[in-house]
Structures are given as structure tokens and as C-alpha cells.
Amino acid sequence: MDWPNHNDAWREWRRAVSGARMHHGWILAGKSGLGKRDFALAAARELVSETGVHQPAGDHPDILTLTHLPKDDKEQKKRDEGKEYQVKRNIAVGQIRDMQRRLNTRPTLGARRAIIIDPSDDMEPSASNALLKSLEEPPQGTFFILVAHRPSRLLPTIRSRCRLLRFPTLTDADLERLLSDQGSSASPSARAAAIKASDGSFGAALRFLEQDMGPLASLIGSLLDQGDAAFQARGDLSRAIGSRADRARIQSVLELAQSLVADRARNAVSSTQRGRLIEVHGELVSLAGQAPTYNFDNGLLAMEIGTLLSSVGAGSEHAHG
């Protein structure tokens, strides 16, 4: 896939690779849905490849990717069968230690090995501390590529030992082209709504189309504009989300709410209104971080989201009343 927002990152990466001394740790930073994982895999292949040494087309023995494991044995079986499966909430310390044991051996095909951790900001605290030891004393020829949607969640000591590559959001025109390239069958109006709500993230735009988030976007907009003095709109939001919504849908709802709040904050005329929108955005970000960790009742979570959103509309009513 051709990511138009990767050009600057590729230039910096290839300049570093061709330099006298390649830095051993890299953070690929940017919001989710910007192709950072694709970049990490392609960059790792360039890094470990050597002239005259055959490189396998599939899995590479000198590229190790750490990500969320299946939630349990049942989900592991689904993965083995090629079905959709649920994953654990964090990257565990055991995964880091298993990786470190592999570092005691030499790379298989050449002189270099790449470790990709995606998303690195989902490492549990003990995993982050374990990784720090490898970053402080990296084995010869080993390079770490940390994909981070929220790099501020990484330990400051990890950030200080890595070079940062930032990935910008995509333009509306880029998103339209990428959706067309993916063969999206959504109507032009649905694509336009998904692009507007995605806040520059292709992954978010795809999820909004797959989850049919148009009706939810309208409900969220109504809560932001009009509040919900009668509590009816919050009930509508809860029903639209669904009592049995899975984690992916909940995260999409939270992403959509954050995007629409951020858009209103950028365009707010009143400094008071802008301040309240910024506060609500921060609370939604916090809620999104908690949602995968805690077993929320979907109805209660929907009400909490609705209450945050309606507080903006209520404040607007007071400001104009």
C-alpha cells in the first residue's frame, strides 16, 4: 500500500541506515491508522537485508514482531484457524523476556536483527522496564522499532534512548484515494462523512465505514449542539451503540466522539466553549484508555460518553441563554 504520509519518514530512515552509525532504537509516532505498522515491517526488511543473501518472501527469521497475543486458548484456536479473535489488553513482560532470550543468539541470515513492538504504548509496566534494559545495552546488530499511537505513555527513559519518527495525518484527498484503492463500495456521502470524522486517520475512516457510524455521528453532533436535558438523546446513543457491542465498536465510538469534539474545538468562536470542548476531549481520551482495561457495562459506558458530550451542549445553552 502506498502511504503518501510516509515520504519524510522514509527519507530520514534511509539517511540513517546509510550513515556511519545507525541508531539502535526508533519510535514511530502518530495516531492510529496512519500505516506505521506497514512502515515498520518494510523498514525492518530493508535493515536486515544484505547484498548476496537470499531474503525469504514471508516471515523473516531476523525480524521479530511483538504484539497483543490471543486472549486465551479459545482465542488462540480461532487465530490458528484464520478466524477473528480477541486479544489480551497488554503486551506482557513474558513476551519481552522471550525476545531477550533470542537475543543471546546471532541473527540467522546476516549481521542485523530487527525487533518490532506494536503498539509499544500497550506494554504493561514490567514489560517496559524489562525492555529498557535491552535499550540501555543493545546487542550488536539488534535494532528496536517501537510503534506508538500515544508515545507519551512510554517511559521517559525509553523515549530518551530512541530516535523519533513522526507520521502526519492524511489529507481528505489522500483518504478518498486510499478508500477508492481499497475498493470501498460505500456511497460518496458515507465516505465523505467517514473522512470528516476520521481526523486524518485511514484506519479510523475504514472502521467508521465498516461499523456504519453515520447514525452515531448524527447523535453525537446533536448532543454536542443541543445537550440532553430530557436524557432522551443519551438513551438513543446507548441503543445505537448496542448492548452487546464488542471492544472494536466501543473504541470506534470513542474515536468518533474525540474526532467530532476536536473538530468543534478547532472551529469554536467562544474561548469558553473551546475550553470546555478541550476538557471533554481530554476526558474522552482518558475514557478510551480505560475502556480496554476495565469491564464496563456498555449501557453505563454509553451514558458516560453521552453525559460528557451533552455537557458541551448544555454549556452552549447557558452561554446563549
Side-chain angles (χ1 to χ4, degrees):
M1 184 169 173
D2 180 19
W3 292 93
N5 58 327
H6 288 190
N7 295 333
D8 289 344
W10 275 121
R11 278 192 288 271
E12 185 172 347
W13 173 265
R14 286 168 176 155
R15 187 163 52 244
V17 171
S18 62
R21 181 167 179 157
M22 173 73 170
H23 198 76
H24 68 277
W26 293 78
I27 294 173
L28 312 187
K31 67 189 305 179
S32 176
L34 298 178
K36 300 188 299 298
R37 181 183 178 87
D38 286 357
F39 182 95
L41 291 168
R45 278 197 167 269
E46 285 195 5
L47 184 65
V48 302
S49 296
E50 292 185 11
T51 303
V53 179
H54 173 72
Q55 304 295 315
D59 292 340
H60 197 292
D62 293 328
I63 299 174
L64 178 62
T65 300
L66 278 64
T67 189
H68 296 106
L69 293 174
K71 183 179 178 181
D72 50 34
D73 291 343
K74 179 181 176 181
E75 299 304 315
Q76 175 69 51
K77 184 178 179 181
K78 289 181 183 178
R79 186 180 76 167
D80 294 343
E81 294 173 350
K83 300 177 181 177
E84 290 188 6
Y85 60 95
Q86 295 184 33
V87 297
K88 294 182 179 180
R89 294 166 181 162
N90 300 107
I91 294 173
V93 63
Q95 293 173 258
I96 301 297
R97 289 175 177 159
D98 286 345
M99 173 270 293
Q100 289 170 328
R101 281 190 282 272
R102 289 186 59 172
L103 300 186
N104 292 325
T105 62
R106 294 177 57 83
T108 303
L109 299 180
R112 290 175 167 177
R113 170 166 38 208
I115 310 297
I116 299 171
I117 304 180
D118 176 29
S120 59
D121 39 326
D122 273 358
M123 286 187 292
E124 61 187 19
S126 53
S128 295
N129 288 321
L131 175 65
L132 184 58
K133 296 178 181 178
S134 294
L135 288 171
E136 289 172 339
E137 298 179 6
Q140 181 70 29
T142 296
F143 300 85
F144 296 88
I145 304 174
L146 312 184
V147 176
H149 309 319
R150 293 155 294 183
S152 61
R153 294 182 60 185
L154 292 170
L155 290 176
T157 43
I158 287 180
R159 297 200 302 269
S160 69
R161 285 166 173 76
C162 296
R163 284 188 60 176
L164 186 69
L165 280 182
R166 290 197 178 277
F167 289 74
T169 54
L170 293 150
T171 66
D172 288 358
D174 288 335
L175 289 169
E176 178 63 49
R177 181 181 63 77
L178 290 173
L179 288 172
S180 296
D181 290 348
Q182 289 288 305
S184 172
S185 59
S187 67
S189 60
R191 282 208 305 272
I195 288 170
K196 180 179 180 182
S198 70
D199 202 20
S201 165
F202 177 62
L206 275 180
R207 287 193 296 275
F208 294 157
L209 286 175
E210 292 167 356
Q211 300 264 5
D212 188 22
M213 303 293 278
L216 274 163
S218 297
L219 287 168
I220 290 171
S222 178
L223 282 161
L224 288 170
D225 293 336
Q226 302 171 25
D228 186 28
F231 283 83
Q232 180 177 342
R234 272 168 275 195
D236 292 342
L237 180 69
S238 180
R239 285 186 289 275
I241 293 173
S243 60
R244 296 186 178 181
D246 59 16
R247 184 183 300 176
R249 183 163 177 80
I250 293 295
Q251 288 299 129
S252 292
V253 171
L254 285 162
E255 284 182 18
L256 177 61
Q258 290 171 50
S259 176
L260 294 178
V261 169
D263 181 65
R264 276 169 168 74
R266 285 191 292 267
N267 295 293
V269 176
S270 161
S271 59
T272 301
Q273 188 76 346
R274 184 181 300 110
R276 179 56 189 151
L277 285 161
I278 291 171
E279 288 177 8
V280 168
H281 186 273
E283 292 179 58
L284 287 168
V285 170
S286 177
L287 196 59
Q290 295 169 9
T293 308
Y294 299 99
N295 293 319
F296 282 109
D297 174 89
N298 282 351
L300 292 176
L301 181 57
M303 290 298 289
E304 186 163 357
I305 295 170
T307 298
L308 283 171
L309 298 171
S310 64
S311 69
V312 176
S316 178
E317 289 171 1
H318 296 324
H320 292 87

